[in-house]
């Protein structure tokens, strides 16, 4: 028996390795930066600004076609809320990494399927199967165990991570709506959101962080140089992470992407534990693994539910066809000739 390997498999594998490496490195660099420079708003501002600056030349080099003018109603209904969401998600994510360990922050982010299920029900009216709901149980249990046994627990960090996860979930839903309704390239959409998010964050950063940074008495030239280098590195790594993630998503199915993202989360947690060496217990690690395992179960349950949903119209179509044939035969009986 010969197993055929898809032509894109080596490319996807290579991109996933790059994605995992960049994401793990960016998490550790971001944590080290925030330990020495406790200004998550500044780091978030640099992140969205870097995406806006680097994305423009990338679109030109990749020859991404320009989008059609966005109607004013759609701009106010989709683009502006998505931009606010991107800015809020960036700030809350870095607040969580600042206040709690990277491993714990990424464990909390495993609750994203819970928010997705609830929000899809409230916003889109989508119902899920029993298996999907059951798959959320180990996620909740794992996060609860990790929270109870977390040695470096911080309430502000926990709430920030939950807010970031909630915001990312809302963004995912409305981003799909924007891509579908506006017929816009996903990289173009990312570029637009990054620019508007930068404008949104600029006044908050200037009033909250910039004023405090300028009052530092120990800002020597050496410290300023180190700060600029670290901010540039984390901004560029975040841009690369977004680019590689979008490319992987364009090459594989949503389920495969979800599995790849869950695998990335495991590696980020492991890498952060090894590099940052924050104290953990065996029960704490068990809670992390349980939550990640729940994410895999959720992805599997969603795949089965979507497969049944795709097959149902064909069954109904076949049934309708049989009923039509029976109806015709009843009205016009066929004459069979036996030889």
């Amino acid at each position: 028996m010969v197993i055929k390997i898809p032509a894109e498999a080596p490319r996807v594998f290579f991109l996933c390795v790059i994605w995992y490496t960049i994401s793990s490195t960016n998490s550790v660099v971001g944590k080290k930066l925030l330990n020495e420079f406790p200004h998550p708003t500044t780091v978030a501002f640099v992140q969205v600004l870097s995406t806006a600056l680097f994305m423009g030349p990338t679109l030109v080099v990749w020859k991404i076609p320009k989008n059609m003018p966005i109607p004013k109603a759609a701009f106010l209904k989709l683009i502006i809320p998505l931009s606010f969401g991107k800015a809020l998600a960036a700030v809350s994510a870095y607040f969580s990494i600042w206040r709690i360990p990277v491993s714990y922050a990424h464990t909390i982010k495993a609750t994203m399927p819970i928010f997705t299920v609830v929000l899809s029900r409230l916003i889109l009216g989508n119902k899920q199967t029993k298996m999907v709901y059951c798959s959320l149980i180990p996620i909740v249990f794992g996060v609860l165990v990790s929270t109870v046994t977390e040695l470096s627990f911080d309430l502000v960090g926990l709430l920030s991570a939950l807010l970031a996860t909630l915001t990312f979930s809302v963004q995912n839903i409305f981003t799909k709506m924007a891509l579908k309704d506006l017929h816009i390239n996903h990289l173009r959409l990312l570029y637009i959101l990054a620019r508007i998010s930068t404008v949104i964050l600029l006044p908050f950063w200037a009033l909250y962080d910039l004023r405090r940074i300028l009052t530092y008495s120990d800002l020597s030239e050496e410290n300023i140089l180190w700060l600029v280098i670290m901010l540039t590195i984390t901004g560029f790594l975040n841009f690369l992470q977004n680019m590689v993630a979008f490319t992987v998503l364009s090459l594989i199915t949503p389920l495969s992407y979800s599995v790849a993202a869950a695998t990335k989360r495991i590696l980020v947690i492991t890498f952060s534990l090894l590099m940052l060496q924050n104290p953990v217990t065996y029960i704490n690690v068990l809670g992390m693994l349980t939550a990640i395992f729940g994410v895999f179960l959720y992805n599997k349950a969603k795949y089965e539910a979507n497969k049944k949903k795709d097959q149902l119209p064909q069954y109904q179509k076949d049934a309708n066809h049989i009923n039509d044939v029976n109806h015709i035969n009843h009205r016009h009986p066929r004459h069979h000739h036996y030889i």
Side-chain angles (χ1 to χ4, degrees):
M1 180 180 179
V2 180
I3 300 177
K4 294 184 178 180
I5 300 178
E8 294 290 349
R11 183 184 178 191
V12 170
F13 176 79
F14 178 69
L15 287 172
C16 283
V17 171
I18 296 177
W19 183 24
Y20 299 162
T21 303
I22 293 174
S23 183
S24 301
T25 305
N26 192 30
S27 297
V28 172
V29 170
K31 181 65 174 179
K32 286 183 174 294
L33 173 61
L34 289 169
N35 286 339
E36 300 294 332
F37 180 73
H39 296 282
T41 304
T42 298
V43 180
F45 176 71
V46 171
Q47 170 191 315
V48 295
L49 176 62
S50 299
T51 302
L53 292 176
F54 294 131
M55 185 60 72
T58 303
L59 295 177
V60 175
V61 173
W62 284 14
K63 299 180 180 179
I64 304 297
K66 293 185 178 181
N67 58 286
M68 298 292 292
I70 301 175
K72 183 178 180 180
F75 189 84
L76 296 175
K77 180 181 177 182
L78 293 174
I79 301 300
I80 295 298
L82 278 172
S83 301
F84 271 101
K86 184 173 181 59
L88 179 61
V91 173
S92 55
Y94 278 106
F95 256 98
S96 67
I97 293 178
W98 172 43
R99 299 298 294 261
I100 58 178
V102 174
S103 56
Y104 181 42
H106 278 269
T107 302
I108 296 173
K109 289 180 181 179
T111 59
M112 185 174 291
I114 301 174
F115 289 110
T116 301
V117 168
V118 174
L119 292 172
S120 297
R121 177 65 173 145
L122 295 176
I123 298 175
L124 304 177
N126 294 341
K127 295 182 179 180
Q128 309 296 334
T129 63
K130 291 183 179 179
M131 287 302 298
V132 171
Y133 289 120
C134 289
S135 68
L136 302 179
I137 297 176
I139 299 178
V140 175
F141 178 76
V143 172
L144 286 177
V145 171
S146 297
T147 300
V148 172
T149 59
E150 177 56 51
L151 300 177
S152 304
F153 176 78
D154 181 86
L155 181 59
V156 175
L158 170 63
L159 295 178
S160 298
L162 288 173
L163 178 60
T165 307
L166 171 62
T167 309
F168 280 127
S169 301
V170 175
Q171 271 193 295
N172 288 341
I173 294 175
F174 282 96
T175 298
K176 292 179 181 178
M177 294 174 59
L179 291 173
K180 180 180 178 182
D181 295 344
L182 303 179
H183 304 287
I184 185 174
N185 181 276
H186 58 276
L187 295 181
R188 283 283 177 189
L189 179 61
L190 178 62
Y191 182 43
I192 294 172
L193 297 181
R195 287 187 297 172
I196 299 177
S197 299
T198 301
V199 175
I200 293 172
L201 276 178
L202 180 59
F204 293 98
W205 170 74
L207 292 174
Y208 184 72
D209 263 8
L210 180 60
R211 179 174 52 86
R212 296 166 60 192
I213 294 172
L214 293 177
T215 59
Y216 277 180
S217 59
D218 59 343
L219 271 181
S220 61
E221 291 184 4
E222 184 177 334
N223 291 336
I224 293 176
L225 179 61
W226 175 86
L227 179 60
V228 171
I229 292 175
M230 291 295 289
L231 287 173
T232 303
I233 291 174
T234 189
F236 186 66
L237 286 175
N238 180 78
F239 164 72
L240 289 179
Q241 181 179 329
N242 282 328
M243 289 294 300
V244 176
F246 271 115
T247 305
V248 171
L249 180 59
S250 67
L251 293 175
I252 60 180
T253 64
L255 174 68
S256 299
Y257 180 81
S258 299
V259 173
T263 306
K264 182 207 73 172
R265 203 170 301 285
I266 295 176
L267 295 178
V268 169
I269 291 174
T270 304
F271 186 73
S272 67
L273 290 175
L274 292 175
M275 296 298 296
L276 301 174
Q277 297 182 349
N278 54 287
V280 291
T281 63
Y282 289 111
I283 299 179
N284 188 245
V285 174
L286 179 62
M288 296 178 187
L289 294 177
T290 304
I292 298 299
F293 177 70
V295 175
F296 280 108
L297 291 180
Y298 168 81
N299 292 331
K300 182 68 166 60
K302 284 290 293 181
Y303 171 74
E304 296 294 338
N306 291 335
K307 188 167 68 172
K308 289 181 180 179
K309 188 184 298 184
D310 292 338
Q311 292 175 347
L312 183 59
Q314 183 63 38
Y315 293 150
Q316 292 177 336
K317 183 178 179 180
D318 293 342
N320 292 337
H321 175 71
I322 294 173
N323 290 335
D324 291 342
V325 171
N326 291 337
H327 180 67
I328 293 173
N329 290 342
H330 178 73
R331 292 179 59 187
H332 306 285
R334 294 182 180 178
H335 300 280
H336 300 280
H337 300 276
Y338 297 94
I339 299 178

